[in-house]
Amino acid sequence: MLPIYLSLEGLYSYQKKQEIDFTQLTEGGLFGIFGSVGSGKSSVLEAISFALYGETERLNKQEKRAYNMLNLKSDTAIIDFHFLNFEGRKFRFVAQWRRKKKFEETTSIERYAYEWKDENWLPLESADGAIVTNLSYPNFRRTIIIPQGQFMEFLELKGKERSDMMKEIFFLNQYDLGPKVSLLQSDNNKKIEHIKGALTGYEEVSEEIIVTHEEALIEAKKNVENVKLEFESIDKKLQRLRIDKENKTDLNSKEAELQNLDLQLPQIKRYEKELQQFESVSQNFKEPINNLHHITFNREQLLIKIEKLKDNKQLLNTRIVETSSQMELIKNDYEALPTYKKRIDDYRLLITNTDLQQHKTELQNRIARGTPIIDQTRLKEAELSKKLAEEESQLEIFKSSRMQTQELIAIENWYQKQEQLQKETSDLHANLQKQNQELVSYRDQLSSLNLSETNWQEELQVKINDISSKSTLLKERENALLIKQELSQYVLKLQDGSPCPLCGSLEHPAPMHKEDWIIEENTLDKERSTLTQMDEKLREQFSKVSTVTVLIKEKLNNIESLKLQEKELQGLLSRHENTFLWNDFQKENRDAFEVKKSQAQQLEIKITEQEKSIKETRKEIQDTQENLAKYVKSLDDLKNQVTIAEAKIAHNLEQLKSIDSQGYINTDKATLIKELDELDIKIITVEKQYADWTEILVQTKTQFAEIAGQYTAAHEQYVSLTAQLQALQGTINSLLKEFQFEDITVVKAILEKNVDVSKTREKIQQFHMQYNMLQTRIAELKELTRSSIFSQELFEETLEIHRLKKEELELQLALSGALEKELTRLTIELGKKKTLLSSYEQLNSRKENLKILDNMFKGNGFINYVSSIHLTRLCEIANQRFHRLTKNQLSLCLNESNEFEVIDYLHEGHQRSVKTLSGGQSFQASLCLALALAENIQSLNKADRNFFFIDEGFGTQDAESINTVFDTLQYLHHENRVVGIISHVEELKERMPRSISVTKDLERGSQITYN
């Protein structure tokens, strides 16, 4: 992850919005955040964590987190964080909440997440930072933010406690395979017992039985083939008799149909004669008669059209004469239009001059009113200058009596830090009591279950093993009962004097009854239910106790850590009291300090107010001067506008063409506009009337020409149609003579019959086709039946024999199919039996392998082994820097208990405890381990460019060690890492290529500045 931008507002000591541009800081690869204790440095890291995960180390959700994190002088808290994740994608996370009307109440904390795509911030479905950073919150704290205290604890932990921590960091629980192996064993044993029970149902299946069934099937198939041949012979004979019977029946039917057609033959011949006559008349007379009707109708319609066109010609000629008369009436006004338009332009110039004269008068009035205002403004400027001199003199008097405030700020910081340390001590003591109470509560839970804190696993495991043994015995009894159930089917067949099918005995003194094994089955079900309940109860108890013991260990670690923190806070409080160096004040008497501070604040208020007054007076003087300049400029502009108006009036008078200006000197603007409008309306009216009459005349003449042309064309068409009608009548008379018809009425009568030629011809053709086909088919059937041996008695006898053979064949096929089906079933059952036997052998082999794995994963031996590999790798990586920091004098290693020790090369390479290291050496070792651990975790998350903060810890180093540490941090930059340092050590601040400072202002809260 690589940060880009962060803004904080209303968070802890950050009252107003503060912004950090990380792109400026990360350019150098190494940067610092510096400030005094309590200035708000670490709040920067806490803001980043809270924006990404909604979690913070200081407060949890039950501690009114939203209220306590909100600055007491702010109503809203906003955190806005931008960064690039390990894939180079840009994200933005925002957290915000605000104070309600009641001071102690706040709204719920709202968190949002966005991704930068297509030049826009697009919202994400989830605001969980783990999704985009690929780091959980604990791992984020271990790899991005590295506080010294956590890794000092990691350095000094015992082997078991460190293994637990390694288990959490590197997810070593995945190697805790003991419970999983136990589950696999239980599941494998159940499968073995299941297969044993399943095999009891396959005792009757064997390869010998299958061979016997195969031989019987072969014999049955031979019988089927013999019967099938006999059936096919009888079937062929029956088919021949059926064909002969069908042919004889068909011959009788066809002869009856032929007799019916002979009766219809005269009617068909009559149809043929009528069809021939209709086709001949239609072909020669239909078209001429249709044309005669069409030409006669068109000639009559054309005569009507000619009369209408003649009337329209006369009407249009009258309209042309009337339109020409109207145009003569407005001809004089139309020719005078150019003169009228020039007069319009002159009227407009006179109206413009009227407006200019009025504007000139207004400008002259404004000049007369503005001159006294300029004089008053100059007088005000002189008075304000005198007032400014007096206020500056008073300010100098206040400043000369100002007290030094730097010392007061330092004293107040001392009192605030003392109160903070005392509060932290009190909170720590309360937390320690709470942890002790919770520890007692968890131990009471163990006592209530009669389990010890150290041996509870062995005690519960004994009970679980006992139940497992009982379950195995119960399973054996259930298998025995299943065998009895299978044997019970033979009990019903036992009779005195008859041999037993199993043992062959003739006597059966005490046969087993169904009621006996049903009672036993119910008893076994109850025992199985009881054992299952006990097993579930024990496993639930195992899970609960496991959780309680983990919590006990956690509470013990917390108590030990809190005691160390309490001791450290007491030392800090003692050292802080020794830093009180002001003889004019007392540590215990803060009231005297507050009085002195109040006096200084009152004086500062007076100075501030006086400076504000001076600033306002200067602003007023500046405004007055600007107004004066503006008034003078405005007056000059007015005078220039008067001159321009006079010039425009004279120019417009020179442009007049048809009006004498002297005649309109005293005419007002309204009269001029009225005359202009009247003349304008007259021009528009004349132009419109002349254009309308001209358009009407042109349209009327055009219509007259079109109608005259249509009249001439229609008259010529009428003459042509008359000639065509006479010629067509001659043609029809010639045809009547040719076909010997008396007149046209006979022809029309034939055509009016409207015979459907295609249907009539098709009907005639179908009749002849059917008649010929019947004759042909009757001849064929007579030929087929000439040599036939068919008789009804022979047919019925053959039919009965065919039915009997068919039943015999079906019986043989059923027998063969039953044998084949049984053989198939036995073959499948044999395959299942072989599969079960193979699975049984595999499960037995798996059972032996699981026993070996169970012995291997007992306890935490394998986890401790994997943990030691990770620790050894951490030592190797950490020593690459630790050697350089200690000038090759010390090296980190692990002892047999997986505890850290150091190799002292100045004393012949002997090993000693890390607790013998000095404070500075411990910090160096912790730093190297922290960097190694961060590299391991970030490599798991495939981070491209590593980035992390180191919070505090440099105060324990001397100047030479700081140089070495600083060189190491610079070396990290060359390894493509960006490192941020949070510290109050000024020597580091001076050497940082990029840094920011956080200062706490009493009025404005924490302030961020770039160095």
Side-chain angles (χ1 to χ4, degrees):
M1 185 192 76
L2 193 65
I4 298 174
Y5 168 82
L6 174 68
S7 70
L8 308 90
E9 180 180 355
L11 181 71
Y12 291 130
S13 59
Y14 289 87
Q15 180 180 345
K16 302 296 182 181
K17 182 178 180 181
Q18 298 295 307
E19 298 177 293
I20 300 176
D21 183 1
F22 281 103
T23 57
Q24 299 182 22
L25 298 177
T26 56
E27 285 179 355
L30 181 63
F31 67 90
I33 300 176
F34 296 94
S36 59
V37 176
S39 60
K41 304 185 301 297
S42 297
S43 297
V44 173
L45 305 186
E46 193 165 347
I48 294 174
S49 300
F50 194 73
L52 288 173
Y53 298 95
E55 297 289 344
T56 175
E57 291 293 315
R58 297 196 212 180
L59 301 167
N60 57 39
K61 295 180 180 178
Q62 287 74 32
E63 294 176 320
K64 296 180 66 176
R65 181 163 62 186
Y67 169 75
N68 288 314
M69 292 176 70
L70 184 58
N71 185 280
L72 294 176
K73 294 183 179 179
S74 299
D75 294 328
T76 303
I78 301 175
I79 304 170
D80 191 355
F81 180 51
H82 302 188
F83 65 96
L84 298 175
N85 76 338
F86 63 96
E87 297 174 322
R89 296 158 60 193
K90 186 176 178 181
F91 293 93
R92 176 188 180 190
F93 278 68
V94 179
Q96 61 184 21
W97 66 99
R98 58 182 176 80
R99 198 183 304 281
K100 294 184 177 179
K101 291 182 179 180
K102 191 175 180 180
F103 187 80
E104 294 79 7
E105 294 181 355
T106 62
T107 61
S108 58
I109 298 173
E110 298 176 347
R111 296 176 55 251
Y112 307 98
Y114 307 88
E115 183 176 2
W116 183 256
K117 285 184 177 181
D118 301 326
E119 303 300 321
N120 284 305
W121 287 113
L122 302 181
L124 301 178
E125 293 182 359
S126 173
D128 183 7
I131 297 175
V132 299
T133 62
N134 209 20
L135 291 170
S136 65
Y137 176 64
N139 283 345
F140 181 81
R141 292 282 299 166
R142 297 182 182 114
T143 61
I144 304 301
I145 301 167
I146 307 179
Q148 177 195 8
Q150 181 176 349
F151 289 99
M152 284 292 291
E153 177 185 3
F154 177 67
L155 180 67
E156 297 174 357
L157 281 175
K158 297 294 183 181
K160 185 177 184 305
E161 289 79 2
R162 187 179 294 106
S163 294
D164 292 339
M165 187 173 180
M166 295 290 289
K167 188 188 300 184
E168 178 186 352
I169 293 175
F170 290 101
F171 308 105
L172 300 185
N173 283 325
Q174 60 183 315
Y175 300 110
D176 187 9
L177 303 177
K180 294 182 180 179
V181 172
S182 298
L183 291 174
L184 290 174
Q185 281 182 314
S186 175
D187 182 61
N188 194 68
N189 292 333
K190 289 179 182 178
K191 290 180 179 178
I192 290 174
E193 295 302 324
H194 175 73
I195 290 176
K196 284 182 179 179
L199 284 171
T200 59
Y202 294 95
E203 293 177 351
E204 64 176 4
V205 180
S206 65
E207 293 185 358
E208 293 78 6
I209 293 174
I210 290 176
V211 170
T212 302
H213 279 73
E214 287 175 347
E215 292 174 353
L217 178 62
I218 292 171
E219 185 65 26
K221 286 183 176 180
K222 288 181 179 178
N223 294 333
V224 168
E225 290 296 325
N226 293 332
V227 174
K228 187 177 180 181
L229 290 174
E230 295 176 359
F231 173 77
E232 288 175 352
S233 175
I234 295 296
D235 186 65
K236 289 179 181 178
K237 183 178 180 181
L238 180 63
Q239 292 299 326
R240 286 196 299 272
L241 290 174
R242 282 177 175 165
I243 292 171
D244 290 345
K245 182 180 180 180
E246 289 172 359
N247 288 339
K248 190 173 182 181
T249 303
D250 192 20
L251 177 62
N252 296 332
S253 173
K254 293 293 187 289
E255 287 177 343
E257 289 180 14
L258 184 62
Q259 291 176 1
N260 186 33
L261 291 179
D262 286 336
L263 297 175
Q264 298 177 17
L265 189 60
Q267 180 69 26
I268 294 300
K269 290 181 178 180
R270 190 165 53 253
Y271 287 158
E272 289 178 341
K273 183 178 179 181
E274 290 178 356
L275 179 63
Q276 184 179 5
Q277 186 185 41
F278 181 79
E279 286 181 333
S280 175
V281 171
S282 295
Q283 183 177 0
N284 293 284
F285 287 94
K286 190 173 183 178
E287 183 177 356
I289 291 173
N290 288 340
N291 290 338
L292 180 65
H293 292 163
H294 179 69
I295 292 171
T296 302
F297 176 78
N298 287 344
R299 183 167 171 268
E300 292 173 353
Q301 293 296 321
L302 191 60
L303 187 61
I304 295 170
K305 181 180 178 181
I306 290 170
E307 292 298 325
K308 288 182 179 180
L309 290 172
K310 185 176 181 182
D311 294 340
N312 288 337
K313 280 176 65 179
Q314 294 175 355
L315 180 63
L316 289 172
N317 190 35
T318 302
R319 191 181 297 172
I320 290 170
V321 174
E322 292 175 353
T323 303
S324 300
S325 300
Q326 292 293 336
M327 290 183 67
E328 285 296 326
L329 295 176
I330 61 171
K331 182 177 180 182
N332 294 332
D333 286 338
Y334 182 76
E335 292 175 350
L337 283 178
T339 304
Y340 293 160
K341 290 180 179 179
K342 290 179 182 180
R343 195 171 184 83
I344 287 286
D345 294 336
D346 290 347
Y347 275 125
R348 287 173 179 162
L349 290 172
L350 291 174
I351 291 170
T352 302
N353 277 359
T354 304
D355 293 336
L356 289 171
Q357 188 63 41
Q358 183 179 356
H359 181 58
K360 173 184 172 184
T361 304
E362 292 175 356
L363 291 174
Q364 289 172 342
N365 293 334
R366 289 176 63 186
I367 291 170
R369 292 194 303 269
T371 303
I373 293 174
I374 292 175
D375 297 336
Q376 293 173 4
T377 305
R378 285 173 176 161
L379 181 61
K380 182 180 178 182
E381 180 186 6
E383 292 174 352
L384 288 173
S385 298
K386 181 180 179 182
K387 179 183 177 182
L388 177 62
E390 293 173 354
E391 289 178 343
E392 288 177 342
S393 175
Q394 184 64 38
L395 179 62
E396 289 300 323
I397 295 172
F398 285 152
K399 286 186 176 180
S400 62
S401 58
R402 173 190 273 174
M403 294 180 290
Q404 294 295 326
T405 57
Q406 291 297 116
E407 185 176 8
L408 292 176
I409 293 173
I411 297 171
E412 183 177 22
N413 289 338
W414 188 91
Y415 281 121
Q416 288 180 348
K417 185 174 182 181
Q418 185 185 40
E419 290 177 356
Q420 180 184 356
L421 291 173
Q422 289 173 347
K423 184 179 181 302
E424 289 178 0
T425 303
S426 176
D427 293 344
L428 193 63
H429 185 67
N431 194 5
L432 186 59
Q433 288 181 340
K434 180 182 176 183
Q435 296 291 334
N436 281 318
Q437 290 172 357
E438 292 177 353
L439 178 62
V440 171
S441 173
Y442 293 140
R443 285 177 170 169
D444 289 344
Q445 292 182 29
L446 281 181
S447 300
S448 65
L449 298 173
N450 295 322
L451 295 174
S452 66
E453 191 175 331
T454 56
N455 299 325
W456 65 271
Q457 287 180 314
E458 291 77 3
E459 294 172 2
L460 289 177
Q461 191 64 45
V462 169
K463 295 180 181 179
I464 293 172
N465 293 339
D466 182 55
I467 291 175
S468 178
S469 300
K470 291 180 180 179
S471 298
T472 303
L473 294 174
L474 185 63
K475 185 63 179 178
E476 292 176 356
R477 290 168 61 191
E478 289 175 345
N479 292 337
L481 181 61
L482 288 173
I483 295 173
K484 290 180 180 180
Q485 291 175 353
E486 292 295 327
L487 295 176
S488 64
Q489 61 182 324
Y490 298 102
V491 173
L492 300 175
K493 300 177 182 179
L494 291 178
Q495 295 180 1
D496 292 336
S498 299
C500 174
L502 297 176
C503 63
S505 175
L506 298 176
E507 296 180 358
H508 319 296
M512 181 180 63
H513 298 286
K514 181 177 181 181
E515 293 78 6
D516 298 337
W517 59 263
I518 288 177
I519 294 172
E520 187 176 355
E521 183 179 24
N522 293 335
T523 303
L524 290 176
D525 288 341
K526 291 179 181 178
E527 292 181 10
R528 170 63 66 187
S529 176
T530 303
L531 287 175
T532 302
Q533 292 176 0
M534 292 173 63
D535 184 65
E536 291 176 353
K537 183 177 179 182
L538 280 174
R539 293 190 183 277
E540 182 181 352
Q541 194 176 29
F542 189 95
S543 176
K544 180 180 178 182
V545 173
S546 177
T547 303
V548 170
T549 53
V550 170
L551 292 172
I552 288 173
K553 292 177 183 178
E554 181 181 340
K555 295 304 172 185
L556 289 171
N557 292 336
N558 291 344
I559 290 170
E560 186 65 26
S561 176
L562 289 172
K563 286 180 179 179
L564 292 174
Q565 293 178 26
E566 184 179 30
K567 183 178 179 181
E568 184 179 354
L569 279 175
Q570 289 174 353
L572 289 173
L573 187 59
S574 177
R575 290 195 295 273
H576 178 67
E577 289 179 351
N578 293 333
T579 59
F580 193 84
L581 305 174
W582 299 279
N583 297 326
D584 295 338
F585 300 96
Q586 297 178 355
K587 299 177 185 177
E588 300 79 8
N589 189 5
R590 185 171 181 175
D591 294 338
F593 164 73
E594 292 295 337
V595 171
K596 191 74 172 178
K597 174 186 169 185
S598 177
Q599 293 174 354
Q601 288 177 343
Q602 291 297 325
L603 183 59
E604 289 297 328
I605 290 171
K606 290 181 180 180
I607 292 173
T608 303
E609 290 176 350
Q610 191 67 17
E611 288 176 341
K612 182 179 178 182
S613 178
I614 291 173
K615 184 178 179 181
E616 291 174 352
T617 303
R618 285 176 176 164
K619 180 67 170 60
E620 192 174 359
I621 291 173
Q622 183 181 356
D623 293 343
T624 303
Q625 292 173 345
E626 290 176 355
N627 289 337
L628 181 60
K630 184 171 65 174
Y631 295 157
V632 172
K633 185 177 182 300
S634 297
L635 195 63
D636 293 339
D637 289 343
L638 292 174
K639 292 178 179 178
N640 291 334
Q641 291 179 28
V642 169
T643 304
I644 292 170
E646 291 174 346
K648 286 183 177 179
I649 291 171
H651 177 73
N652 289 340
L653 292 174
E654 293 175 357
Q655 296 296 321
L656 295 177
K657 297 177 181 178
S658 62
I659 294 178
D660 185 6
S661 61
Q662 296 299 321
Y664 289 91
I665 292 176
N666 297 323
T667 306
D668 59 2
K669 181 179 179 181
T671 303
L672 292 172
I673 291 173
K674 181 180 179 182
E675 293 180 3
L676 172 65
D677 292 341
E678 291 174 350
L679 185 58
D680 196 19
I681 291 170
K682 184 176 181 180
I683 292 172
I684 293 170
T685 302
V686 171
E687 286 180 339
K688 186 176 185 306
Q689 288 178 349
Y690 192 84
D692 291 344
W693 287 117
T694 301
E695 184 179 358
I696 291 170
L697 181 61
V698 171
Q699 289 177 354
T700 305
K701 288 181 178 180
T702 302
Q703 291 174 1
F704 182 82
E706 290 176 355
I707 289 173
Q710 291 175 5
Y711 178 83
T712 302
H715 190 269
E716 292 174 355
Q717 190 176 2
Y718 178 80
V719 173
S720 174
L721 287 175
T722 301
Q724 292 178 17
L725 187 60
Q726 292 174 354
L728 191 58
Q729 286 175 344
T731 302
I732 291 172
N733 291 330
S734 300
L735 289 171
L736 289 173
K737 291 179 182 179
E738 181 181 350
F739 290 97
Q740 299 178 359
F741 288 113
E742 296 178 0
D743 55 24
I744 195 67
T745 56
V746 178
V747 175
K748 288 182 178 180
I750 295 172
L751 291 174
E752 286 175 355
K753 291 181 180 180
N754 198 18
V755 177
D756 191 337
V757 176
S758 59
K759 287 185 178 180
T760 304
R761 180 177 285 110
E762 183 180 359
K763 183 176 180 180
I764 294 169
Q765 290 175 352
Q766 287 180 353
F767 175 83
H768 289 299
M769 186 183 297
Q770 186 178 5
Y771 191 85
N772 293 332
M773 288 175 63
L774 282 173
Q775 288 179 331
T776 304
R777 181 60 179 165
I778 289 170
E780 291 175 353
L781 290 173
K782 285 181 178 180
E783 182 65 26
L784 290 172
T785 56
R786 183 175 300 154
S787 60
S788 173
I789 60 172
F790 174 80
S791 67
Q792 187 65 30
E793 295 79 5
L794 179 62
F795 179 77
E796 291 178 356
E797 180 184 350
T798 306
L799 186 64
E800 179 64 19
I801 295 171
H802 181 273
R803 183 184 65 79
L804 294 174
K805 282 297 180 182
K806 183 178 180 182
E807 290 178 356
E808 184 181 359
L809 179 61
E810 290 176 349
L811 182 62
Q812 290 295 333
L813 287 171
L815 178 61
S816 176
L819 287 171
E820 189 171 6
K821 184 178 180 181
E822 179 64 14
L823 180 62
T824 302
R825 185 189 71 81
L826 290 173
T827 304
I828 293 172
E829 294 296 312
L830 182 62
K832 291 181 180 179
K833 184 177 181 179
K834 290 180 179 179
T835 302
L836 287 172
L837 289 172
S838 176
S839 300
Y840 182 77
E841 292 175 0
Q842 292 178 0
L843 290 171
N844 267 333
S845 176
R846 180 179 174 83
K847 182 178 180 181
E848 297 301 322
N849 292 335
L850 288 173
K851 284 183 180 179
I852 297 172
L853 290 176
D854 185 51
N855 294 330
M856 182 185 300
F857 293 118
K858 278 184 178 178
N860 291 324
F862 192 68
I863 294 178
N864 292 335
Y865 170 72
V866 177
S867 175
S868 65
I869 293 175
H870 281 286
L871 288 171
T872 302
R873 178 58 181 160
L874 284 177
C875 282
E876 293 174 357
I877 297 173
N879 280 330
Q880 295 175 6
R881 299 184 179 92
F882 192 50
H883 288 166
R884 189 162 55 251
L885 292 175
T886 60
K887 299 180 179 178
N888 294 322
Q889 296 177 7
L890 299 175
S891 177
L892 290 169
C893 66
L894 292 173
N895 61 17
E896 296 178 354
S897 301
N898 274 350
E899 296 176 358
F900 284 117
E901 292 187 348
V902 291
I903 301 175
D904 192 342
Y905 295 106
L906 295 180
H907 295 83
E908 300 179 354
H910 291 295
Q911 295 182 201
R912 54 188 172 92
S913 172
V914 292
K915 295 181 180 179
T916 61
L917 295 174
S918 66
Q921 291 172 334
S922 294
F923 168 72
Q924 292 172 346
S926 300
L927 174 62
C928 294
L929 282 173
L931 295 172
L933 188 59
E935 289 177 6
N936 269 268
I937 295 177
Q938 292 192 356
S939 65
L940 290 175
N941 290 287
K942 301 178 181 179
D944 182 30
R945 191 180 186 194
N946 295 338
F947 168 83
F948 45 81
F949 278 104
I950 301 175
D951 191 358
E952 292 296 348
F954 298 95
T956 59
Q957 304 295 296
D958 55 23
E960 185 176 359
S961 297
I962 287 179
N963 290 334
T964 306
V965 170
F966 189 79
D967 293 340
T968 300
L969 296 178
Q970 284 186 322
Y971 182 76
L972 290 177
H973 168 52
H974 299 301
E975 297 177 354
N976 200 27
R977 292 176 177 82
V978 178
V979 183
I981 295 173
I982 296 181
S983 179
H984 62 278
V985 179
E986 289 296 324
E987 296 179 18
L988 283 176
K989 178 179 178 181
E990 296 172 358
R991 301 179 62 177
M992 284 291 162
R994 300 280 194 281
S995 67
I996 60 174
S997 294
V998 182
T999 57
K1000 188 173 182 181
D1001 187 275
L1002 295 178
E1003 298 298 329
R1004 298 180 297 168
S1006 295
Q1007 302 290 306
I1008 293 175
T1009 56
Y1010 290 84
N1011 299 321

